[in-house]
PDB file of all heavy atoms in Angstrom:
ATOM      1  N   MET L 110     114.527  83.610 113.282  1.00 35.00           N
ATOM      2  CA  MET L 110     114.043  84.657 112.399  1.00 35.00           C
ATOM      3  C   MET L 110     114.768  84.405 110.992  1.00 35.00           C
ATOM      4  O   MET L 110     116.053  84.408 110.884  1.00 35.00           O
ATOM      5  CB  MET L 110     114.465  85.945 112.902  1.00 35.00           C
ATOM      6  CG  MET L 110     113.527  86.327 114.085  1.00 35.00           C
ATOM      7  SD  MET L 110     113.726  88.087 114.526  1.00 35.00           S
ATOM      8  CE  MET L 110     114.893  87.802 115.887  1.00 35.00           C
ATOM      9  N   PRO L 111     114.084  84.356 109.836  1.00 41.00           N
ATOM     10  CA  PRO L 111     114.675  84.025 108.656  1.00 41.00           C
ATOM     11  C   PRO L 111     115.475  85.100 108.010  1.00 41.00           C
ATOM     12  O   PRO L 111     116.348  84.951 107.294  1.00 41.00           O
ATOM     13  CB  PRO L 111     113.595  83.684 107.694  1.00 41.00           C
ATOM     14  CG  PRO L 111     112.370  84.257 108.385  1.00 41.00           C
ATOM     15  CD  PRO L 111     112.691  84.265 109.783  1.00 41.00           C
ATOM     16  N   ASP L 112     115.296  86.375 108.445  1.00 42.00           N
ATOM     17  CA  ASP L 112     115.901  87.692 107.859  1.00 42.00           C
ATOM     18  C   ASP L 112     117.087  88.064 108.687  1.00 42.00           C
ATOM     19  O   ASP L 112     117.803  89.077 108.295  1.00 42.00           O
ATOM     20  CB  ASP L 112     114.905  88.747 107.603  1.00 42.00           C
ATOM     21  CG  ASP L 112     113.915  88.521 106.349  1.00 42.00           C
ATOM     22  OD1 ASP L 112     114.312  87.717 105.542  1.00 42.00           O
ATOM     23  OD2 ASP L 112     112.780  89.079 106.428  1.00 42.00           O
ATOM     24  N   VAL L 113     117.464  87.377 109.739  1.00 39.00           N
ATOM     25  CA  VAL L 113     118.350  87.930 110.702  1.00 39.00           C
ATOM     26  C   VAL L 113     119.727  86.989 110.354  1.00 39.00           C
ATOM     27  O   VAL L 113     119.658  85.928 110.458  1.00 39.00           O
ATOM     28  CB  VAL L 113     117.971  87.719 112.051  1.00 39.00           C
ATOM     29  CG1 VAL L 113     118.986  88.100 113.031  1.00 39.00           C
ATOM     30  CG2 VAL L 113     116.709  88.463 112.306  1.00 39.00           C
ATOM     31  N   GLU L 114     120.757  87.899 110.158  1.00 42.00           N
ATOM     32  CA  GLU L 114     122.183  87.278 109.996  1.00 42.00           C
ATOM     33  C   GLU L 114     122.997  87.798 111.038  1.00 42.00           C
ATOM     34  O   GLU L 114     123.031  89.032 111.295  1.00 42.00           O
ATOM     35  CB  GLU L 114     122.672  87.478 108.669  1.00 42.00           C
ATOM     36  CG  GLU L 114     121.967  86.931 107.523  1.00 42.00           C
ATOM     37  CD  GLU L 114     122.433  87.361 106.083  1.00 42.00           C
ATOM     38  OE1 GLU L 114     123.620  87.907 106.087  1.00 42.00           O
ATOM     39  OE2 GLU L 114     121.757  87.053 105.177  1.00 42.00           O
ATOM     40  N   LYS L 116     126.500  88.716 112.394  1.00 40.00           N
ATOM     41  CA  LYS L 116     127.815  89.187 111.937  1.00 40.00           C
ATOM     42  C   LYS L 116     128.894  88.707 112.890  1.00 40.00           C
ATOM     43  O   LYS L 116     128.604  88.240 114.005  1.00 40.00           O
ATOM     44  CB  LYS L 116     127.915  90.704 111.886  1.00 40.00           C
ATOM     45  CG  LYS L 116     126.708  91.266 111.065  1.00 40.00           C
ATOM     46  CD  LYS L 116     127.290  92.017 109.893  1.00 40.00           C
ATOM     47  CE  LYS L 116     125.936  92.577 109.162  1.00 40.00           C
ATOM     48  NZ  LYS L 116     126.145  93.242 107.974  1.00 40.00           N
ATOM     49  N   ARG L 121     123.411  92.309 114.463  1.00 39.00           N
ATOM     50  CA  ARG L 121     122.480  91.802 113.598  1.00 39.00           C
ATOM     51  C   ARG L 121     122.380  92.661 112.345  1.00 39.00           C
ATOM     52  O   ARG L 121     122.633  93.953 112.474  1.00 39.00           O
ATOM     53  CB  ARG L 121     121.289  91.616 114.196  1.00 39.00           C
ATOM     54  CG  ARG L 121     121.162  90.531 115.301  1.00 39.00           C
ATOM     55  CD  ARG L 121     119.903  90.347 115.869  1.00 39.00           C
ATOM     56  NE  ARG L 121     119.834  89.322 116.812  1.00 39.00           N
ATOM     57  CZ  ARG L 121     118.897  88.507 117.053  1.00 39.00           C
ATOM     58  NH1 ARG L 121     117.727  88.749 116.555  1.00 39.00           N
ATOM     59  NH2 ARG L 121     119.017  87.565 118.028  1.00 39.00           N
ATOM     60  N   ASP L 122     121.994  92.072 111.233  1.00 44.00           N
ATOM     61  CA  ASP L 122     121.898  93.016 110.039  1.00 44.00           C
ATOM     62  C   ASP L 122     120.715  93.967 110.048  1.00 44.00           C
ATOM     63  O   ASP L 122     119.894  93.959 111.055  1.00 44.00           O
ATOM     64  CB  ASP L 122     121.798  92.156 108.693  1.00 44.00           C
ATOM     65  CG  ASP L 122     120.642  91.435 108.604  1.00 44.00           C
ATOM     66  OD1 ASP L 122     119.778  91.452 109.375  1.00 44.00           O
ATOM     67  OD2 ASP L 122     120.481  90.807 107.387  1.00 44.00           O
ATOM     68  N   GLU L 123     120.556  94.678 108.976  1.00 44.00           N
ATOM     69  CA  GLU L 123     119.607  95.679 108.850  1.00 44.00           C
ATOM     70  C   GLU L 123     118.070  95.229 109.066  1.00 44.00           C
ATOM     71  O   GLU L 123     117.128  95.869 109.742  1.00 44.00           O
ATOM     72  CB  GLU L 123     119.577  96.418 107.526  1.00 44.00           C
ATOM     73  CG  GLU L 123     118.556  97.677 107.342  1.00 44.00           C
ATOM     74  CD  GLU L 123     118.737  98.761 108.320  1.00 44.00           C
ATOM     75  OE1 GLU L 123     119.863  98.938 108.908  1.00 44.00           O
ATOM     76  OE2 GLU L 123     117.659  99.386 108.527  1.00 44.00           O
ATOM     77  N   ASP L 124     117.885  93.946 108.500  1.00 44.00           N
ATOM     78  CA  ASP L 124     116.441  93.458 108.723  1.00 44.00           C
ATOM     79  C   ASP L 124     116.127  93.149 110.097  1.00 44.00           C
ATOM     80  O   ASP L 124     114.999  93.339 110.639  1.00 44.00           O
ATOM     81  CB  ASP L 124     116.283  92.115 107.946  1.00 44.00           C
ATOM     82  CG  ASP L 124     116.128  92.314 106.430  1.00 44.00           C
ATOM     83  OD1 ASP L 124     115.958  93.401 105.960  1.00 44.00           O
ATOM     84  OD2 ASP L 124     116.285  91.377 105.769  1.00 44.00           O
ATOM     85  N   ALA L 125     117.084  92.848 110.988  1.00 43.00           N
ATOM     86  CA  ALA L 125     116.813  92.604 112.315  1.00 43.00           C
ATOM     87  C   ALA L 125     116.485  93.796 113.163  1.00 43.00           C
ATOM     88  O   ALA L 125     115.608  93.902 113.954  1.00 43.00           O
ATOM     89  CB  ALA L 125     117.988  91.864 113.011  1.00 43.00           C
ATOM     90  N   ARG L 126     117.240  94.941 112.803  1.00 44.00           N
ATOM     91  CA  ARG L 126     116.989  96.221 113.431  1.00 44.00           C
ATOM     92  C   ARG L 126     115.686  96.878 113.064  1.00 44.00           C
ATOM     93  O   ARG L 126     115.056  97.457 113.935  1.00 44.00           O
ATOM     94  CB  ARG L 126     118.115  97.268 113.030  1.00 44.00           C
ATOM     95  CG  ARG L 126     119.463  96.865 113.846  1.00 44.00           C
ATOM     96  CD  ARG L 126     120.379  97.910 113.676  1.00 44.00           C
ATOM     97  NE  ARG L 126     120.876  98.303 112.249  1.00 44.00           N
ATOM     98  CZ  ARG L 126     121.720  97.647 111.647  1.00 44.00           C
ATOM     99  NH1 ARG L 126     122.391  96.696 112.073  1.00 44.00           N
ATOM    100  NH2 ARG L 126     122.017  97.978 110.400  1.00 44.00           N
ATOM    101  N   SER L 127     115.331  96.637 111.852  1.00 47.00           N
ATOM    102  CA  SER L 127     114.081  97.208 111.464  1.00 47.00           C
ATOM    103  C   SER L 127     112.822  96.291 111.775  1.00 47.00           C
ATOM    104  O   SER L 127     111.703  96.767 111.569  1.00 47.00           O
ATOM    105  CB  SER L 127     113.973  97.488 109.878  1.00 47.00           C
ATOM    106  OG  SER L 127     113.993  96.201 109.196  1.00 47.00           O
ATOM    107  N   GLY L 128     113.162  95.171 112.182  1.00 51.00           N
ATOM    108  CA  GLY L 128     111.954  94.199 112.609  1.00 51.00           C
ATOM    109  C   GLY L 128     111.576  93.287 111.409  1.00 51.00           C
ATOM    110  O   GLY L 128     111.667  93.642 110.326  1.00 51.00           O
ATOM    111  N   SER L 129     111.407  92.125 111.831  1.00 70.00           N
ATOM    112  CA  SER L 129     110.808  91.049 110.895  1.00 70.00           C
ATOM    113  C   SER L 129     109.415  90.892 111.190  1.00 70.00           C
ATOM    114  O   SER L 129     108.836  89.845 110.632  1.00 70.00           O
ATOM    115  CB  SER L 129     111.741  89.856 110.890  1.00 70.00           C
ATOM    116  OG  SER L 129     111.643  89.359 112.201  1.00 70.00           O
ATOM    117  N   GLY L 130     108.746  91.699 111.909  1.00 84.00           N
ATOM    118  CA  GLY L 130     107.360  91.579 112.294  1.00 84.00           C
ATOM    119  C   GLY L 130     106.472  92.134 111.178  1.00 84.00           C
ATOM    120  O   GLY L 130     106.811  92.421 110.025  1.00 84.00           O
ATOM    121  N   SER L 137     107.494 101.561 105.817  1.00 95.00           N
ATOM    122  CA  SER L 137     107.949 100.323 106.190  1.00 95.00           C
ATOM    123  C   SER L 137     107.938  99.394 105.050  1.00 95.00           C
ATOM    124  O   SER L 137     108.963  98.603 104.847  1.00 95.00           O
ATOM    125  CB  SER L 137     107.226  99.793 107.425  1.00 95.00           C
ATOM    126  OG  SER L 137     107.677  98.473 107.798  1.00 95.00           O
ATOM    127  N   ARG L 140     110.777 100.275 102.552  1.00 96.00           N
ATOM    128  CA  ARG L 140     111.985  99.812 102.963  1.00 96.00           C
ATOM    129  C   ARG L 140     112.286  98.349 102.880  1.00 96.00           C
ATOM    130  O   ARG L 140     113.255  98.010 102.313  1.00 96.00           O
ATOM    131  CB  ARG L 140     112.296 100.231 104.427  1.00 96.00           C
ATOM    132  CG  ARG L 140     112.640 101.565 104.673  1.00 96.00           C
ATOM    133  CD  ARG L 140     113.166 101.974 106.136  1.00 96.00           C
ATOM    134  NE  ARG L 140     112.110 101.559 107.175  1.00 96.00           N
ATOM    135  CZ  ARG L 140     111.123 102.403 107.579  1.00 96.00           C
ATOM    136  NH1 ARG L 140     111.203 103.737 107.012  1.00 96.00           N
ATOM    137  NH2 ARG L 140     110.343 101.983 108.378  1.00 96.00           N
ATOM    138  N   ARG L 141     111.309  97.491 103.115  1.00 96.00           N
ATOM    139  CA  ARG L 141     111.458  96.091 103.170  1.00 96.00           C
ATOM    140  C   ARG L 141     111.441  95.629 101.590  1.00 96.00           C
ATOM    141  O   ARG L 141     112.241  94.786 101.316  1.00 96.00           O
ATOM    142  CB  ARG L 141     110.342  95.447 103.930  1.00 96.00           C
ATOM    143  CG  ARG L 141     110.617  95.475 105.419  1.00 96.00           C
ATOM    144  CD  ARG L 141     109.784  94.534 106.015  1.00 96.00           C
ATOM    145  NE  ARG L 141     109.543  94.974 107.477  1.00 96.00           N
ATOM    146  CZ  ARG L 141     108.970  94.235 108.371  1.00 96.00           C
ATOM    147  NH1 ARG L 141     108.409  93.046 108.062  1.00 96.00           N
ATOM    148  NH2 ARG L 141     108.971  94.534 109.533  1.00 96.00           N
ATOM    149  N   ALA L 142     110.666  96.299 100.777  1.00 97.00           N
ATOM    150  CA  ALA L 142     110.663  95.888  99.388  1.00 97.00           C
ATOM    151  C   ALA L 142     111.956  96.239  98.705  1.00 97.00           C
ATOM    152  O   ALA L 142     112.474  95.471  97.884  1.00 97.00           O
ATOM    153  CB  ALA L 142     109.478  96.656  98.741  1.00 97.00           C
ATOM    154  N   CYS L 143     112.527  97.385  99.100  1.00 97.00           N
ATOM    155  CA  CYS L 143     113.877  97.851  98.565  1.00 97.00           C
ATOM    156  C   CYS L 143     114.982  96.772  98.865  1.00 97.00           C
ATOM    157  O   CYS L 143     115.738  96.377  98.057  1.00 97.00           O
ATOM    158  CB  CYS L 143     114.190  99.157  99.091  1.00 97.00           C
ATOM    159  SG  CYS L 143     113.379 100.571  98.284  1.00 97.00           S
ATOM    160  N   ARG L 144     114.921  96.374 100.138  1.00 96.00           N
ATOM    161  CA  ARG L 144     115.940  95.341 100.541  1.00 96.00           C
ATOM    162  C   ARG L 144     115.746  94.011  99.811  1.00 96.00           C
ATOM    163  O   ARG L 144     116.676  93.533  99.452  1.00 96.00           O
ATOM    164  CB  ARG L 144     115.873  95.152 102.063  1.00 96.00           C
ATOM    165  CG  ARG L 144     116.495  96.220 102.815  1.00 96.00           C
ATOM    166  CD  ARG L 144     116.766  95.813 104.325  1.00 96.00           C
ATOM    167  NE  ARG L 144     115.543  95.382 104.957  1.00 96.00           N
ATOM    168  CZ  ARG L 144     114.766  95.991 105.670  1.00 96.00           C
ATOM    169  NH1 ARG L 144     114.955  97.349 105.675  1.00 96.00           N
ATOM    170  NH2 ARG L 144     113.569  95.582 106.268  1.00 96.00           N
ATOM    171  N   ARG L 145     114.592  93.563  99.672  1.00 97.00           N
ATOM    172  CA  ARG L 145     114.219  92.343  98.996  1.00 97.00           C
ATOM    173  C   ARG L 145     114.713  92.402  97.601  1.00 97.00           C
ATOM    174  O   ARG L 145     115.289  91.456  97.004  1.00 97.00           O
ATOM    175  CB  ARG L 145     112.779  91.919  99.044  1.00 97.00           C
ATOM    176  CG  ARG L 145     112.167  91.842 100.386  1.00 97.00           C
ATOM    177  CD  ARG L 145     112.889  90.904 101.268  1.00 97.00           C
ATOM    178  NE  ARG L 145     112.254  90.557 102.566  1.00 97.00           N
ATOM    179  CZ  ARG L 145     112.393  91.260 103.857  1.00 97.00           C
ATOM    180  NH1 ARG L 145     113.203  92.219 103.808  1.00 97.00           N
ATOM    181  NH2 ARG L 145     111.772  90.904 104.838  1.00 97.00           N
ATOM    182  N   ARG L 148     118.566  92.412  97.115  1.00 96.00           N
ATOM    183  CA  ARG L 148     119.056  90.984  97.291  1.00 96.00           C
ATOM    184  C   ARG L 148     118.812  90.236  96.059  1.00 96.00           C
ATOM    185  O   ARG L 148     119.513  89.386  95.793  1.00 96.00           O
ATOM    186  CB  ARG L 148     118.389  90.330  98.510  1.00 96.00           C
ATOM    187  CG  ARG L 148     118.956  90.932  99.770  1.00 96.00           C
ATOM    188  CD  ARG L 148     118.426  90.170 100.958  1.00 96.00           C
ATOM    189  NE  ARG L 148     118.815  90.852 102.201  1.00 96.00           N
ATOM    190  CZ  ARG L 148     118.312  90.687 103.364  1.00 96.00           C
ATOM    191  NH1 ARG L 148     117.167  89.846 103.466  1.00 96.00           N
ATOM    192  NH2 ARG L 148     118.742  91.244 104.357  1.00 96.00           N
ATOM    193  N   GLY L 197     106.069  91.533 105.148  1.00 93.00           N
ATOM    194  CA  GLY L 197     107.251  92.079 104.454  1.00 93.00           C
ATOM    195  C   GLY L 197     107.869  91.025 103.595  1.00 93.00           C
ATOM    196  O   GLY L 197     108.957  91.109 102.956  1.00 93.00           O
TER     197      GLY L 197
END
Side-chain angles (χ1 to χ4, degrees):
M110 291 191 258
D112 289 334
V113 177
E114 295 176 11
K116 307 236 178 185
R121 293 179 176 213
D122 73 353
E123 179 65 22
D124 282 347
R126 287 192 300 275
S127 67
S129 58
S137 176
R140 279 192 302 274
R141 291 197 194 184
C143 287
R144 282 196 304 271
R145 303 306 187 265
R148 287 182 184 162

